[in-house]
Amino acid sequence: MSPAAPPPEVSGPPPAVTVVGIGADGWAGLPETSRSALRDAEAIVGGERQLGLLPPECAGRRVPWPSPLRPAVRGLLAGLSGSRTAVLASGDPMFYGIGRALTEELGAGALRVLPHPSSVSYACARLGWPVEDTEVVTLVGRPADRLAAALYDGRRLLVLSADAATPAAVAALLRERGFGPSRMRVLEQLGGTAEDCLDGVAECWEHPPGDPLNVIAVDCRITPGALRLGAVPGLPDEAYEHDGQLTKRHVRAATLGVLAPAPGELLWDVGGGSGSIAAEWMRAHPSCRAVTIERDPLRAERIVRNAGRLGVPGLRVVTGRAPGALAGLPGPDAVFIGGGLTAPGLLEACWEALRPGGRLVANTVTLESEALLGAWHRRLGGELVRLAVAHAVPVGGFTGWRQAMPVTQWSVRKPEPGPDVRQPGAAGPADAAGTTVPTAVDAPRPADAPEPPHA
């Protein structure tokens, strides 16, 4: 057997910046590789607290990060070009740390990253929690409402705090969301000589603000009788503040199933109503994004409140009338139209903006809009279904069925570039060539007519 070939040499310039993770134990907790990088650095960038942890033998010029940090990254490091530069980071730089911003600004090839154990690793070690079974939510630079999406009875959470006031804010949110019995432990200065732990229950949390460097461990416990929210689409209608413009629970679950959210995708929710479709799209995965377009300012404000209550405060709300209000929005991976289907040019604008491979779903309860969807179905194919739901209600001393208004739903996937592969039900070439895509002119509605109930 011939000897193994030597590994190929890595070409290109060496990394311009060394990123060194450091913990609350400071210099004493660093391995020699990290210490050597800091000793050799001609410029050391970091927060005031982190820079204060270094001994005099680190003789490089110390450069504190300005505030706000992110916009200053590229310019500050460009000013240090040509110097051996080190950047200090808390714990693991690539876990909710400065490493992400540096990679996005400079590229991975310009960095040498020397991680330190993260606060999450320390916290799980202290608590005896398996890291892989522990969900992490960061509130650093983010609203506390984000935590609501992670609240499930029996779930263990680690919350990365923004400052000393975060534990009290978390306790208040837990009480408001029906998780007052949850146990909270605030782990301060993890790994340092001043490490401490404050223990208590959210509904009677009375600890004063402590050290700003803390992580909050939450054992989620729901208040008996509180509204239970599941992890899949179809939340109870009672979870929403609304004025009747709400896609009801069973139709909502079916609609989200067809929209099929995937991590990182963007949804346009046109005719937002109460924002239920957009909110549950975003709850499907933390990286899912959504923009809801609502013409009524009062409903738009209501959507913002619903989004915060359900843990997705990042939902973007655009107040305006579609299709005009769609101008300038980033291209969507999926579009849901729940109201205003007969507005001139709306379907055309949504179809044009939709990315190849994206999904468009439209719901309606009116005959006019149903005719419009039928014509689009004949033109583009997809799937046309009618959703009917009945609820058992008292009828005198007996029980009977009360039928809700049936919902007509059209769903279609936009073709991707490549061979012509039509969807089931799509028109053949001869039919397609002679069919005009219908518009709102085919199904007029008086200008002063109210929007149909949010389907």
Side-chain angles (χ1 to χ4, degrees):
M1 180 180 296
S2 59
E9 293 185 5
V10 179
S11 60
V17 176
T18 299
V19 189
V20 179
I22 190 169
D25 49 359
W27 185 256
L30 292 178
E32 182 54 35
T33 304
S34 297
R35 291 184 179 187
S36 177
L38 292 170
R39 288 192 199 99
D40 292 343
E42 296 170 317
I44 304 173
V45 185
E48 295 280 8
R49 180 187 63 82
Q50 296 161 338
L51 292 172
L53 297 173
L54 300 183
E57 61 191 275
C58 297
R61 180 162 63 97
R62 303 189 184 192
V63 183
W65 284 117
S67 182
L69 184 153
R70 183 57 190 263
V73 169
R74 181 180 292 273
L76 187 150
L77 293 177
L80 299 174
S81 179
S83 301
R84 292 190 302 276
T85 301
V87 173
L88 288 173
S90 294
D92 185 345
M94 304 306 296
F95 186 73
Y96 292 110
I98 189 64
R100 176 173 183 166
L102 293 174
T103 300
E104 291 173 354
E105 292 291 344
L106 305 178
L111 302 179
R112 177 192 183 203
V113 180
L114 303 176
H116 187 276
S118 69
S119 58
V120 168
S121 296
Y122 274 120
C124 286
R126 302 295 186 264
L127 298 165
W129 292 1
V131 176
E132 67 271 19
D133 293 338
T134 303
E135 185 166 357
V136 179
V137 179
T138 180
L139 299 185
V140 179
R142 297 167 174 85
D145 281 340
R146 293 185 75 250
L147 182 60
L151 298 179
Y152 297 99
D153 193 34
R155 190 74 171 143
R156 290 171 168 175
L157 307 176
L158 281 180
V159 182
L160 306 183
S161 282
D163 51 35
T166 303
V170 168
L173 184 140
L174 291 171
R175 293 192 296 269
E176 293 166 4
R177 301 303 197 277
F179 282 82
S182 301
R183 183 184 181 187
M184 289 176 53
R185 281 170 281 184
V186 179
L187 305 163
E188 301 178 340
Q189 290 283 337
L190 281 163
T193 56
E195 182 174 318
D196 197 9
C197 178
L198 306 177
D199 201 339
V201 177
E203 59 192 359
C204 54
W205 186 262
E206 296 180 349
H207 291 287
D211 195 287
L213 192 63
N214 70 83
V215 175
I216 307 164
V218 181
D219 285 284
C220 296
R221 296 290 180 270
I222 197 168
T223 303
L227 184 66
R228 184 181 183 277
L229 304 182
V232 298
L235 299 182
D237 293 344
E238 295 80 9
Y240 295 94
E241 178 188 346
H242 64 91
D243 61 359
Q245 293 287 89
L246 174 72
T247 302
K248 299 302 190 294
R249 181 179 193 174
H250 299 92
V251 174
R252 191 184 330 125
T255 300
L256 266 298
V258 179
L259 285 169
E265 289 190 327
L266 173 67
L267 170 76
W268 283 4
D269 178 11
V270 183
S274 61
S276 62
I277 294 292
E280 295 191 29
W281 168 280
M282 291 184 68
R283 282 174 62 93
H285 191 272
S287 65
C288 285
R289 300 164 294 137
V291 180
T292 186
I293 299 91
E294 172 55 53
R295 67 172 188 169
D296 187 319
L298 292 178
R299 288 180 185 150
E301 293 173 2
R302 192 176 291 122
I303 292 171
V304 172
R305 292 194 294 272
N306 283 332
R309 187 177 301 112
L310 293 172
V312 287
L315 171 59
R316 180 181 175 187
V317 181
V318 174
T319 305
R321 189 184 296 271
L326 305 177
L329 296 180
D333 300 289
V335 176
F336 171 66
I337 306 175
L341 266 170
T342 56
L346 176 59
L347 270 167
E348 291 87 346
C350 291
W351 183 251
E352 177 65 24
L354 188 64
R355 297 181 187 277
R359 292 84 62 203
L360 186 149
V361 179
N363 290 359
T364 188
V365 295
T366 69
L367 293 176
E368 292 80 5
S369 293
E370 184 178 271
L372 187 62
L373 294 183
W376 276 78
H377 173 255
R378 289 192 299 273
R379 173 74 169 109
L380 296 178
E383 188 175 20
L384 193 64
V385 300
R386 175 167 289 178
L387 305 172
V389 178
H391 296 271
V393 297
V395 180
F398 298 92
T399 304
W401 293 106
R402 175 172 293 166
Q403 184 76 39
M405 292 183 71
V407 174
T408 298
Q409 180 181 90
W410 176 55
S411 60
V412 64
R413 182 173 178 270
K414 190 170 186 177
E416 298 184 62
D420 180 21
V421 180
R422 285 186 295 276
Q423 302 183 53
D431 294 334
T435 303
T436 301
V437 175
T439 69
V441 176
D442 301 310
R445 183 163 58 91
D448 59 349
E451 287 288 312
H454 192 66

